[in-house]
Amino acid sequence: PSVDGEPYQHILPVEDTGFELTTVDLGSAGDAGAIEKAVQHTFRLDSEVPLHACLFADGETDVLILVVHHIAGDGWSMGPLARDLSVAY
């Protein structure tokens, strides 16, 4: 949002973000382009949070795609995020 033409950071409580982890069964996804499509997610910053996550699974292998818009994550913040994901895994 902006006030008098000046944009500002608006931080939402987690419960107000509408964020959810999308889960896709690779066996029923039907095409190898499903992961490619998730990686190329385009953000609509006026209506969604700048983070998109999709978990692909086929019963044997899990692939987590996490796309972070540069407005929400920079080079420095990717290090701690990667460490947190590694610990959680």
Side-chain angles (χ1 to χ4, degrees), residues 10-20 47-49:
H10 180 75
I11 301 173
L12 296 172
V14 172
E15 58 274 3
D16 293 345
T17 64
F19 177 81
E20 61 183 55
S47 61
E48 68 178 330
V49 295

Side-chain angles (χ1 to χ4, degrees), residues 35 50 66 68 70:
I35 292 176
L66 184 63
V68 181
H70 68 89

Side-chain angles (χ1 to χ4, degrees), residues 14 18 22-23 47 69 85 88:
V14 172
T22 303
T23 304
S47 61
H69 190 282
L85 286 172

Side-chain angles (χ1 to χ4, degrees), residues 21-79:
L21 174 65
T22 303
T23 304
V24 176
D25 179 354
L26 281 175
S28 66
D31 74 296
I35 292 176
E36 183 70 22
K37 182 179 177 183
V39 170
Q40 294 180 0
H41 178 78
T42 301
F43 291 98
R44 295 180 323 175
L45 295 176
D46 62 338
S47 61
E48 68 178 330
V49 295
L51 174 70
H52 178 75
C54 191
L55 178 65
F56 293 89
D58 67 4
E60 294 180 23
T61 304
D62 294 335
V63 176
L64 175 65
I65 303 293
L66 184 63
V67 182
V68 181
H69 190 282
H70 68 89
I71 202 167
D74 58 14
W76 181 90
S77 62
M78 291 297 102

